[in-house]
Amino acid sequence: MGTTKYLARSIPTISMADFDSRVDAITSELVSAAERDGFFCIVDHGISREQVDQMFDNSAAFFNLEDSIKATVPFSAVHNAGWEKNAQIRPSTGAADQKESYQMQFSENMEGRWIAEDVLPGFKDKSLAFMHSVQDVSEKLMVCFARGLGFEDDFFIKCHDVSENDSQTVARLLHYFPTPENTNGEVFHRAGAHTDWDFLTLLFQKAGQSGLEICPGREVSTSFGYGDTWTKVDPDTESNAIICNIGDLLMSWSDDRFKSTFHRVKAPSEPGDYYGERYSIAFFNQPRKSAEIQGPKKKYPMVTGGEFTRNAMQRNFKALLDKKNANLKSEITASVVAVKEVPATA
């Protein structure tokens, strides 16, 4: 395994303070960050650190349950909701991420997928209150991106209306398992390199639990290629920053003007890395299934939000299948070579 190459990059930090009076200045900063980096931090966003910490407590309470209890709300690929464990395989690694997650939505997709009230009293209400707070922040960012692309201010807000039954927006609670410091050569993956296929992701991290890394440089939304120079993005809880990244959908919706950046949660392997369990919360803004997706320059054919999600999943699984087939071909070739090199016996 080659040594990871790192490059120090500054991640833009954008204040959302006095939003109504500063919307033009904030829009300018956001558009610049979206065009250049695809990743940025927002501060002064209105969600208190106490709210974030309470949601992390809520998350820990869920993940501390026995697996048999969490399994009462199993993940459904059709509904993109529920609990999964060691089940997500990235095309970049071909191996399962060492984590568990619980995906929650605003819509009827959660019917029968909320953990029972008598198991975790107040879990649903606390989660939805937090999700609505993050949605409010997301909608401010949507106003800025709409202005930057020449749409009406409420264009993206209407497309992401979480009160509608075809809403696809997801809040994902994540719990990465501890990694042994002596792996005996075994390779672990916390979250392999990937892009998000949503509109915009807002990520909450806990102090001291590092691992997030980015690799900018993607030019088109249909490309799987990326470089090999990474930048660490450590949690900044002192300023209560939210890490944001552009998703494939906004990259396509902007005619590739805004960049969807590859990122990963690297498994610890070097001195100074964090080996303990890691918690994070990702809020994936995904448009309604009926929303019509097409950029102002119409670079890509118009698709609905439902079609975009389905196409993204199909590309993801195809890339994974191609990787598995390539690995299998390599193994077969190596076996054939090994057989040819076995000396003949008398």
Side-chain angles (χ1 to χ4, degrees), residues 52-71:
V52 177
D53 289 339
Q54 286 171 7
M55 192 60 209
F56 273 121
D57 290 343
N58 210 30
S59 173
F62 174 84
F63 289 123
N64 285 335
L65 296 171
E66 295 292 335
D67 283 3
S68 59
I69 299 177
K70 290 178 284 191

Side-chain angles (χ1 to χ4, degrees), residues 161-207:
D161 187 347
V162 297
S163 69
E164 297 292 341
N165 283 333
D166 66 342
S167 165
Q168 299 186 100
T169 290
V170 168
R172 189 180 195 189
L173 307 181
L174 292 146
H175 176 219
Y176 298 90
F177 303 120
T179 299
E181 296 198 29
N182 184 3
T183 63
N184 295 318
E186 186 177 356
V187 178
F188 291 85
H189 298 283
R190 282 193 156 170
H194 64 284
T195 59
D196 295 339
W197 68 57
D198 64 335
F199 179 87
L200 180 72
T201 302
L202 281 68
L203 180 71
F204 300 82
Q205 301 188 90
K206 294 196 75 172

Side-chain angles (χ1 to χ4, degrees), residues 13-25:
T13 298
I14 301 168
S15 171
M16 303 291 287
D18 302 318
F19 180 81
D20 290 339
S21 62
R22 295 182 54 247
V23 63
D24 290 338

Side-chain angles (χ1 to χ4, degrees), residues 11-16 29-30 33 39-43 45 141 205 233-234 236 239-245:
I11 307 300
T13 298
I14 301 168
S15 171
M16 303 291 287
E29 291 183 60
L30 282 172
F39 254 78
F40 52 91
C41 301
I42 57 172
V43 294
H45 42 69
L141 297 173
Q205 301 188 90
V233 184
D234 291 332
D236 179 7
S239 65
N240 195 26
I242 303 174
I243 301 292
C244 303
N245 66 274

Side-chain angles (χ1 to χ4, degrees), residues 44-311:
D44 307 317
H45 42 69
I47 301 176
S48 70
R49 191 67 222 176
E50 289 73 22
Q51 284 179 278
V52 177
D53 289 339
Q54 286 171 7
M55 192 60 209
F56 273 121
D57 290 343
N58 210 30
S59 173
F62 174 84
F63 289 123
N64 285 335
L65 296 171
E66 295 292 335
D67 283 3
S68 59
I69 299 177
K70 290 178 284 191
T72 61
V73 287
F75 178 75
S76 166
V78 174
H79 301 92
N80 199 28
W83 173 73
E84 59 82 22
K85 180 179 180 181
N86 292 339
Q88 187 167 18
I89 300 176
R90 307 284 185 182
S92 59
T93 64
D97 292 347
Q98 299 299 297
K99 71 175 190 312
E100 59 181 330
S101 72
Y102 184 39
Q103 298 198 174
M104 306 173 294
Q105 294 193 31
F106 295 91
S107 69
E108 60 187 15
N109 283 333
M110 284 303 290
E111 188 172 341
R113 291 179 182 82
W114 285 109
I115 196 71
E117 180 70 13
D118 61 348
V119 173
L120 280 184
F123 178 88
K124 176 181 177 181
D125 289 343
K126 293 174 186 175
S127 297
L128 283 172
F130 180 78
M131 289 162 64
H132 278 291
S133 293
V134 185
Q135 176 69 16
D136 290 344
V137 174
S138 299
E139 290 183 358
K140 291 180 180 178
L141 297 173
M142 288 176 191
V143 168
C144 296
F145 287 127
R147 288 187 170 203
L149 293 172
F151 293 120
E152 294 294 324
D153 281 7
D154 63 352
F155 177 77
F156 288 132
I157 294 175
K158 289 179 177 177
C159 291
H160 294 80
D161 187 347
V162 297
S163 69
E164 297 292 341
N165 283 333
D166 66 342
S167 165
Q168 299 186 100
T169 290
V170 168
R172 189 180 195 189
L173 307 181
L174 292 146
H175 176 219
Y176 298 90
F177 303 120
T179 299
E181 296 198 29
N182 184 3
T183 63
N184 295 318
E186 186 177 356
V187 178
F188 291 85
H189 298 283
R190 282 193 156 170
H194 64 284
T195 59
D196 295 339
W197 68 57
D198 64 335
F199 179 87
L200 180 72
T201 302
L202 281 68
L203 180 71
F204 300 82
Q205 301 188 90
K206 294 196 75 172
Q209 298 184 359
S210 59
L212 178 63
E213 299 179 351
I214 66 171
C215 183
R218 194 156 172 255
E219 292 301 320
V220 294
S221 63
T222 54
S223 169
F224 274 99
Y226 61 99
D228 60 356
T229 303
W230 294 84
T231 296
K232 298 180 180 182
V233 184
D234 291 332
D236 179 7
T237 54
E238 185 175 338
S239 65
N240 195 26
I242 303 174
I243 301 292
C244 303
N245 66 274
I246 305 299
D248 290 353
L249 193 141
L250 180 51
M251 186 168 181
S252 174
W253 222 334
S254 70
D255 301 308
D256 292 332
R257 180 178 164 191
F258 300 158
K259 305 304 180 186
S260 174
T261 297
F262 270 86
H263 53 285
R264 67 185 182 186
V265 179
K266 175 180 171 288
S269 60
E270 304 167 7
D273 285 350
Y274 175 71
Y275 285 82
E277 64 180 345
R278 182 181 188 273
Y279 287 89
S280 63
I281 303 169
F283 190 85
F284 300 107
N285 287 281
Q286 297 185 174
R288 296 169 53 196
K289 291 180 181 179
S290 59
E292 296 183 348
I293 316 300
Q294 190 172 46
K297 295 182 179 179
K298 297 180 171 54
K299 179 175 181 178
Y300 298 105
M302 191 277 288
V303 294
T304 64
E307 289 169 339
F308 189 96
T309 297
R310 185 168 59 251
N311 293 342

